[in-house]
Amino acid sequence: MPKKVRKAVFPVGGMGTRFLPATKALPKEMLPIVDQPLIQYAVDEARAAGIEEFIFVTGRGKSAIEDHFDHSYELNDLLSARGKTDVVDSLTSSILQAGQVSYTRQQEPLGLGHAVWCARHLVGDEPFAILLADDFVRAETPCLGQMIDAFEATGGNVVAVMDVPKEQTNRYGILDPGEEDGRLVEIKGLVEKPEPAAAPSTLSIIGRYILMPDVFTHLGRKERGAGGEIQLTDAMAKMIGQMPFHGFRFDGVRYDCGDKLGFLDATLAVALDRPDLADGLRGLMQAYQD
Ligand code: UTP
């Protein structure tokens, strides 16, 4: 039996250039989908999947994330004094407990692979999850929970995958797929951001991973890949053939919230599912069409 997945890494050290100037002083992961920041959705997904330790790899200007998951006694006192106990309860349920959370800094944004490597001592020698908060996934069973079930069945590495339009392969890590078994796809090869003509498939990795700690050895070589960055995909590719390695076609809808249209799409999807907002929003949308 493989070891249990207890720890999740949240790389939040990116610069978020596509959302400037909003992300000049505000971390991209704090942008709200309706009234909850992106990072809160990712943490809730991990919590629902049974994750016990939450590791954030932060960077300059990201302290709002630490504050978000901490108690705010002043705010709670103020809200309680005004009788808003339901809001206090919802704030309390979103915080992470003492000792459950740790933060480390990626001093320079050298790429996603480098961000993950920065968490090596906090992860130690056990399988772990990685969640990219800007990949927002809506699913009946949380995406990471589905992946943990798959990991418990297969062992090795499991990454969430979905088909993307052919012309978009140069935005993702793309699979060279082997045999398929239900939602599982054996991985024979991985290429980071191939041009459509060179892409081995359209099956792309999205921001949910369960990896064996061996990945840190490969990341530690600090080899630069696409865009001059230390790429997680390149380190993962080195593990093919060394252990089971599967793509997992998750059940759910993924929104690329690092992109403005994807972010708006997610906002509409969440708001249209909210009883307090759906009718009002439909009315607004109708008015724009008229
Ligand atoms: P992106 O490729 O979306 O980069 O990173 P970005 O800097 O966040 O945003 P843009 O492209 O400039 O608008 C994918 C994920 O990897 C993390 C990001 O925080 C995001 O969750 N990341 C990226 C790091 O933690 N460190 C890095 O050096 C690069």
Side-chain angles (χ1 to χ4, degrees), residues 215-287:
V215 72
F216 293 122
T217 309
H218 302 294
L219 288 172
R221 300 204 178 95
K222 309 241 179 90
E223 287 165 16
R224 306 280 178 142
E229 295 196 339
I230 299 171
Q231 297 287 357
L232 182 60
T233 306
D234 296 342
M236 292 193 302
K238 303 251 168 56
M239 295 193 284
I240 297 167
Q242 314 284 312
M243 60 186 71
F245 200 158
H246 293 92
F248 178 76
R249 292 181 194 268
F250 61 98
D251 180 25
V253 183
R254 169 262 191 182
Y255 300 86
D256 176 7
C257 292
D259 170 82
K260 284 173 203 142
L261 265 182
F263 182 86
L264 291 171
D265 192 4
T267 303
L268 290 175
V270 170
L272 287 170
D273 244 11
R274 287 259 301 247
D276 57 332
L277 296 171
D279 288 346
L281 180 57
R282 278 207 183 84
L284 280 175
M285 287 162 77
Q286 189 59 49

Side-chain angles (χ1 to χ4, degrees), residues 3-7 49-51 126-129 148 151-152 210:
K3 275 193 197 167
K4 201 169 170 273
V5 183
R6 301 183 308 122
K7 300 184 180 181
I51 295 296
E126 56 183 282
F128 66 104
I148 288 180
F151 168 78
E152 285 171 356
I210 295 174

Side-chain angles (χ1 to χ4, degrees), residues 135-157:
D135 265 339
F136 172 49
V137 186
R138 301 190 76 216
E140 224 151 87
T141 304
C143 180
L144 188 65
Q146 299 175 38
M147 292 171 69
I148 288 180
D149 289 346
F151 168 78
E152 285 171 356
T154 61
N157 300 311

Side-chain angles (χ1 to χ4, degrees), residues 182-227:
R183 293 189 175 276
L184 287 168
V185 186
E186 186 201 350
I187 299 186
K188 288 201 304 183
L190 284 175
V191 197
E192 181 64 16
K193 302 190 172 69
E195 287 306 322
S201 75
T202 54
L203 211 48
S204 101
I205 303 180
I206 64 131
R208 299 288 181 279
Y209 312 75
I210 295 174
L211 298 181
M212 299 304 284
D214 312 60
V215 72
F216 293 122
T217 309
H218 302 294
L219 288 172
R221 300 204 178 95
K222 309 241 179 90
E223 287 165 16
R224 306 280 178 142

